[in-house]
Amino acid sequence: MAKRSGAHFTYFLSCTFLMTKADGKQIYKAPGQKAGRSNVGFAQSREEIATRAGHVWQAHIDGHDIGSHACGHFDGKGWSEADWQREFMAFREALINAWKKADKAGAEPQGWAEFARNDVRGFRAPYLSLSDGLLPALKTFGFTYDASLVTKGPGWPSAEDGLPRFGLPLIPEGPSHRPVIGMDYNLFIRHSMGVENKKNSAAFEERTIAAYREAFRKEYDGGRVPLQLGFHFVEMNGGAYWRALDRFLTETCGKPDVACVSYAEALPLIERARKKADRSAF
């Protein structure tokens, strides 16, 4: 999809997918949780770790942005700065040691350790849930942006203590144009209350592509504020949101003055736009 459309994605990775459940009991303990717990599970085998690590590396060398989604997908609204730092350290160590946990240390690509230590610079909080301890922990760990906010509509990133913070926007959707967070899971909840419904997949797809088009057209014909959309890359409601994304990228990314880019790539474009009177990035 990315190669056909020329798009670059940011992939926010949960680190428990780089360890088995047995590994997790030994090496991962989320703040306030028992050792070896995860809300999103673990890798099912060492072979799966190797496959996933290979996909992460391929995405990285293809120019996509690998970000952190912490580890076990827990709600951090009550976490202290020290709690977040512990979670970030667990993520970094899991990424560094992924090939060893896959029992394929010899297959580790050259440059993997440097990438794992220094090239994961963006963060999105599980459940988009924040606490006062998050921002200082992000800065301590050298993150260059946070993408955990929600905004009333498409918005420029805010700069809190020098750290750019992006927000997924509320966009109009459906016959009544009720606002919904521009993310596939939120549409899944809106359309079918989170229960798989393949029978109405085509209808959900059309509602979704219509919402994306409306949100994009408003900015393209207006203030040209960057439009952010979020995806889990799983086939909810029979692949409705996957197909809508594919169609949206195909028809949008080639338009004049449009860049379908990752957060890391967007930052310099946005900075350039802010310095121009008309906020044009091109």
Side-chain angles (χ1 to χ4, degrees):
M1 190 187 295
K3 288 178 179 177
R4 278 190 284 104
S5 64
H8 279 165
F9 300 122
T10 295
Y11 296 105
F12 293 107
L13 173 68
S14 297
C15 91
T16 54
F17 294 134
L18 296 174
M19 62 184 77
T20 64
K21 188 171 181 62
D23 293 331
K25 290 180 179 180
Q26 296 180 356
I27 64 175
Y28 176 59
K29 185 178 184 300
Q33 303 292 328
K34 294 180 180 179
R37 287 209 54 210
S38 166
N39 278 348
V40 289
F42 295 85
Q44 299 300 299
S45 66
R46 305 221 174 269
E47 292 76 14
E48 187 179 287
I49 297 173
T51 299
R52 182 168 289 117
H55 289 165
V56 168
W57 185 247
Q58 186 65 50
H60 171 64
I61 64 176
D62 283 350
H64 300 287
D65 178 23
I66 307 300
S68 170
H69 200 42
C71 282
H73 210 281
F74 291 105
D75 187 338
K77 66 185 176 189
W79 287 5
S80 67
E81 179 182 353
D83 290 335
W84 283 111
Q85 287 195 31
R86 191 168 78 191
E87 187 80 349
F88 294 158
M89 182 59 71
F91 179 96
R92 182 177 292 173
E93 290 179 352
L95 192 59
I96 290 170
N97 295 320
W99 293 94
K100 296 182 181 68
K101 290 301 177 188
D103 286 338
K104 292 193 175 182
E108 180 178 309
Q110 185 176 358
W112 175 270
E114 177 71 15
F115 151 72
R117 289 190 178 93
N118 300 311
D119 291 342
V120 177
R121 309 302 296 275
F123 177 72
R124 173 165 284 160
Y127 306 108
L128 304 177
S129 185
L130 315 176
S131 75
D132 290 341
L134 176 59
L135 185 59
L138 287 169
K139 296 182 74 174
T140 296
F141 267 75
F143 286 99
T144 57
Y145 70 85
D146 171 51
S148 305
L149 306 182
V150 175
T151 55
K152 289 184 178 179
W156 297 92
S158 61
E160 198 167 336
D161 289 337
L163 185 75
R165 305 192 80 181
F166 291 94
L168 283 169
L170 293 168
I171 61 174
E173 189 276 335
S176 61
H177 292 260
R178 282 195 301 132
V180 65
I181 295 175
M183 185 155 57
D184 56 357
Y185 181 76
N186 299 80
L187 290 161
F188 181 44
I189 297 297
R190 165 73 60 85
H191 293 160
S192 63
M193 299 183 68
V195 177
E196 185 67 17
N197 180 345
K198 294 183 179 180
K199 182 179 69 173
N200 295 321
S201 181
F204 298 147
E205 176 187 347
E206 293 305 320
R207 281 182 57 162
T208 300
I209 188 70
Y212 296 164
R213 286 169 174 164
E214 181 179 352
F216 171 79
R217 190 179 302 114
K218 181 180 178 182
E219 299 308 325
Y220 194 59
D221 295 341
R224 296 202 165 182
V225 176
L227 174 65
Q228 302 166 58
L229 297 171
F231 300 89
H232 289 78
F233 296 102
V234 294
E235 296 189 341
M236 293 174 271
N237 278 340
Y241 314 109
W242 185 293
R243 295 192 305 273
L245 170 63
D246 199 347
R247 291 169 63 188
F248 180 70
L249 295 178
T250 299
E251 67 187 35
T252 304
C253 294
K255 291 182 181 293
D257 298 338
V258 169
C260 294
V261 295
S262 66
Y263 283 111
E265 291 172 309
L267 283 170
L269 291 175
I270 290 170
E271 185 59 30
R272 190 186 315 160
R274 280 180 162 164
K275 293 178 180 178
K276 290 187 176 182
D278 62 356
R279 282 202 160 178
S280 168
F282 298 93

